[in-house]
Amino acid sequence: MPIVNSGKQSTDGVVIMSFSMKSLHMMADTVKRKVYIVLLILTILIVLGAVLYSTLLARPLKQITSSINEISQGDMNVKLHMHGFSEISSISDSFNQMIDVIQNQDTARQEFVSNVSHELKTPIASMKVLADSLLSQEACRRKFTVSFWETSPTRSSV
């Protein structure tokens, strides 16, 4: 570094400074090490946060899957009560509406089958009672059999 005399506008001397860079290199290495440690800690925290958040998001989907499995095994009394994320809440509401519709359709189907079964059993039972009573009378048995064979559609076409 030059030493300048401001009154004469001349250089009166030079100062040479010398110092070791070893301490600067050690300080830079220490700073690098600390930065790497901070980055490693941040990476671990980010990964843990991502795992926890994905678990939080997946839990309602697991409940939905479990409910669907219960329904597929015949349990129609399953209801979902999930709140939180608006999408999951919407899926839960739609799922419950679907179950209500399926239950209503199943009830209507059972009622229809019951009514049809009753309507079919009544005439068949009446015919059976009539046939049994006719067959129990010996005099009518021959007359009934002859009359049946004469009016039978399969007999008349042969």
Side-chain angles (χ1 to χ4, degrees), residues 66-76 78 95 98-99:
S66 174
S67 297
I68 290 171
N69 288 336
E70 288 179 34
I71 289 171
S72 68
Q73 293 174 357
D75 183 9
M76 297 303 280
V78 176
F95 184 86
M98 177 189 69
I99 292 300

Side-chain angles (χ1 to χ4, degrees), residues 45-57:
L45 289 175
I46 289 172
V47 168
L48 286 175
V51 167
L52 291 174
Y53 189 67
S54 65
T55 302
L56 180 69
L57 287 176

Side-chain angles (χ1 to χ4, degrees), residues 31-155:
V31 169
K32 280 184 190 177
R33 211 174 308 123
K34 288 182 181 181
V35 167
Y36 289 145
I37 290 171
V38 167
L39 287 175
L40 180 65
I41 290 171
L42 282 176
T43 302
I44 290 171
L45 289 175
I46 289 172
V47 168
L48 286 175
V51 167
L52 291 174
Y53 189 67
S54 65
T55 302
L56 180 69
L57 287 176
R59 185 177 300 140
L61 297 176
K62 287 181 182 178
Q63 285 179 319
I64 291 171
T65 303
S66 174
S67 297
I68 290 171
N69 288 336
E70 288 179 34
I71 289 171
S72 68
Q73 293 174 357
D75 183 9
M76 297 303 280
N77 295 322
V78 176
K79 294 288 183 187
L80 288 177
H81 302 288
M82 291 188 286
H83 305 286
F85 301 107
S86 62
E87 294 85 4
I88 297 297
S89 187
S90 174
I91 288 172
S92 174
D93 293 342
S94 296
F95 184 86
N96 290 334
Q97 289 174 358
M98 177 189 69
I99 292 300
D100 290 339
V101 168
I102 290 172
Q103 284 177 335
N104 290 339
Q105 288 176 347
D106 191 48
T107 302
R109 181 190 59 80
Q110 287 175 353
E111 186 177 323
F112 175 76
V113 168
S114 176
N115 289 341
V116 167
S117 176
H118 175 71
E119 293 297 324
L120 288 176
K121 283 181 184 178
T122 303
I124 291 173
S126 298
M127 286 189 289
K128 184 177 182 324
V129 167
L130 177 63
D132 287 344
S133 68
L134 287 175
L135 290 175
S136 68
Q137 299 173 8
E138 196 58 43
C140 290
R141 180 179 273 184
R142 177 158 171 71
K143 187 177 173 184
F144 176 72
T145 305
V146 170
S147 173
F148 176 76
W149 282 106
E150 286 176 356
T151 61
S152 174
T154 58
R155 181 75 171 164

